[in-house]
C-alpha cells in the first residue's frame, strides 16, 4: 500500500509501538504452541488423546481423560474468539504493508480459516469424527506458518523499510 497509510511511512514512535506489539503478540502465540506441544506432542495420536483421553492404554505414562462437553465448548469458544482478534489485528497490519495483493489476501484470510478448521476440527473429532485430527494438524500448521510470515513481514516493514521506498 503506497502512501501515508503504509507502515513504512508511520512516525517512528508508532512504528516502535507496533513493533513491540507484534513481538509481544508473537511471544504469546509461540508460548501457546509450546503448550500445545506439551499436551499433544504435536502428533495426531497426541491430539486425539488430549481431547478423547487414553484411559484404555494401560501403558500410558500420563493418564488423560475425555474432556466434557463444557470443557470442549469453552476451549473452542475462547480460542476462536481470541485468535480471531489476533488475526484481524495482524491482518490490518499486513494490509498496511507494501507487499503484493496476493500475499496480503493470503496472510489475512488463511489464518482465520485455519482457526475455524482447527477448533471446529477439534470439536468434530471429539464428537467422533476421528480423521479430523489430521485436519487439525494441517490447519494448525498453516495457521502457525501464516502468523510467522505475517509477523516477519510486519516487523520488516516497521523496522527496516525506509519511508517512501518500494
Amino acid at each position: 500500500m503506497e502512501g501515508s497509510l503504509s507502515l513504512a511511512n508511520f512516525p517512528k514512535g508508532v512504528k516502535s509501538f507496533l513493533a513491540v506489539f507484534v513481538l509481544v503478540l508473537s511471544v504469546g502465540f509461540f508460548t501457546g504452541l509450546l503448550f500445545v506441544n506439551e499436551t499433544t506432542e504435536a502428533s495426531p495420536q497426541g491430539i486425539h488423546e488430549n481431547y478423547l483421553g487414553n484411559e484404555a492404554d494401560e501403558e500410558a505414562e500420563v493418564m488423560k481423560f475425555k474432556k466434557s462437553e463444557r470443557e470442549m465448548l469453552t476451549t473452542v469458544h475462547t480460542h476462536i474468539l481470541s485468535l480471531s482478534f489476533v488475526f484481524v489485528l495482524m491482518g490490518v497490519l499486513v494490509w498496511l504493508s507494501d507487499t503484493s495483493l496476493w500475499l496480503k489476501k493470503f496472510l489475512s484470510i488463511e489464518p482465520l480459516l485455519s482457526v475455524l478448521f482447527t477448533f471446529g476440527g477439534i470439536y468434530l473429532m471429539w464428537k467422533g469424527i476421528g480423521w479430523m485430527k489430521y485436519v487439525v494438524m494441517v490447519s494448525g500448521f498453516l495457521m502457525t506458518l501464516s502468523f510467522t510470515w505475517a509477523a516477519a513481514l510486519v516487523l520488516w516493514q516497521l523496522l527496516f523499510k525506509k519511508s517512501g521506498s518500494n
Side-chain angles (χ1 to χ4, degrees):
M1 175 179 279
E2 297 296 327
S4 63
L5 285 180
S6 171
L7 291 174
N9 293 333
F10 281 9
K12 284 187 180 190
V14 174
K15 285 179 167 183
S16 297
F17 164 69
L18 291 174
V20 171
F21 168 73
V22 171
L23 287 171
V24 172
L25 190 63
S26 296
V27 169
F29 186 85
F30 290 111
T31 302
L33 288 180
L34 290 174
F35 180 74
V36 167
N37 189 54
E38 185 69 28
T39 58
T40 68
E41 298 174 354
S43 72
Q45 185 60 31
I47 293 168
H48 179 88
E49 288 179 359
N50 190 55
Y51 297 99
L52 293 164
N54 63 359
E55 303 99 76
D57 183 2
E58 294 180 17
E59 307 276 325
E61 289 182 31
V62 176
M63 186 64 68
K64 296 181 179 182
F65 299 94
K66 184 176 181 177
K67 304 272 188 255
S68 69
E69 177 101 20
R70 183 180 183 141
E71 289 174 303
M72 289 305 299
L73 291 173
T74 298
T75 297
V76 170
H77 166 79
T78 57
H79 281 83
I80 288 177
L81 284 178
S82 61
L83 287 171
S84 292
F85 279 107
V86 166
F87 288 116
V88 163
L89 291 170
M90 286 300 291
V92 168
L93 294 176
V94 164
W95 278 97
L96 293 171
S97 70
D98 294 325
T99 193
S100 71
L101 181 61
W102 180 89
L103 189 58
K104 288 178 184 183
K105 285 181 181 180
F106 179 80
L107 292 178
S108 61
I109 295 170
E110 191 290 323
L112 291 168
L113 294 175
S114 283
V115 167
L116 195 58
F117 280 104
T118 300
F119 293 97
I122 288 170
Y123 187 77
L124 292 173
M125 178 191 65
W126 180 82
K127 284 297 231 181
I129 305 173
W131 58 267
M132 289 303 291
K133 61 188 166 193
Y134 300 107
V135 172
V136 170
M137 282 208 64
V138 170
S139 61
F141 175 77
L142 287 172
M143 182 188 340
T144 301
L145 197 58
S146 295
F147 179 88
T148 304
W149 285 346
L153 172 67
V154 169
L155 287 171
W156 182 81
Q157 296 268 315
L158 291 169
L159 299 174
F160 302 111
K161 186 152 182 162
K162 301 295 182 207
S163 178
S165 64
N166 289 330

